[in-house]
Amino acid sequence: GFDCLLGNPPWDEMHVNADKFWTRHMPGHMALPTAKRPAARATYEAERPDLALELADERDAADYIRGVVLTGPYPGIGKGVADYYKAFGWRAVALIAQEGHLGYVLPRAAVVGASNKNWRRFLALTGCVTHVCNLINTAGWVFDDLEFRYPVVLFTFHRGADDEDVE
């Protein structure tokens, strides 16, 4: 395995949200009241069958990827929404050496959300999370292309470590 891995995996969900898709192509869609969005989507599909096909293709691709990931060695990844960062987290800990280190940038949900509980338990049983830094992306000071209120976690993990390694 690797002595050290540093990463900022993709945080995207492995599904296509129709409202987000249509907002990319039809500005103002998300400003519509929630109850009016289904009718608006039906109108868009009728007016732009090419985009309706593109949406279907994106959904098919996401479904395929999610299906592959859900059958992989990622315990608990099917609970909640399947996110890329969860699969990358499992893969990263599989790739580090017995005394290896991992430094990752993740959404806060990775360290507090129920759907990532198995991964956190694995970390606790095989090593020690040595540093955790919680950040709020206020005014985009962490990432300028991420929602400004989004919580971000920087953490380091040492495989095979014990509690004495925590600073």
Side-chain angles (χ1 to χ4, degrees), residues 16-124:
V16 176
N17 179 300
D19 285 324
K20 289 180 182 177
F21 173 87
W22 286 113
T23 299
R24 283 194 329 246
H25 301 284
M26 304 294 186
H29 175 73
M30 288 298 261
L32 295 172
T34 304
K36 292 187 177 189
R37 290 183 195 161
R41 288 192 303 264
T43 300
Y44 305 152
E45 290 174 7
E47 292 174 355
R48 295 290 310 269
D50 60 316
L51 291 177
L53 288 173
E54 185 178 326
L55 173 59
D57 288 346
E58 285 187 23
R59 282 184 170 153
D60 289 345
D63 289 347
Y64 176 77
I65 291 169
R66 186 173 53 255
V68 169
V69 169
L70 291 178
T71 61
Y74 314 118
I77 197 168
K79 294 179 182 173
V81 176
D83 294 281
Y84 286 104
Y85 76 81
K86 295 172 186 175
F88 275 74
W90 278 109
R91 188 65 181 138
V93 295
L95 290 172
I96 58 175
Q98 179 52 40
E99 287 293 326
H101 298 267
L102 173 65
Y104 246 30
V105 179
L106 293 168
R108 186 172 180 272
V111 297
V112 298
S115 65
N116 227 20
K117 180 174 74 173
N118 290 341
W119 184 70
R120 291 191 308 271
R121 181 176 292 134
F122 180 83
L123 294 178

Side-chain angles (χ1 to χ4, degrees), residues 145-162:
D145 60 343
L146 181 66
E147 159 61 44
F148 290 168
R149 295 164 294 182
Y150 204 82
V152 177
V153 172
L154 311 177
F155 86 98
T156 59
F157 168 75
H158 181 190
R159 172 171 277 158
D162 56 32

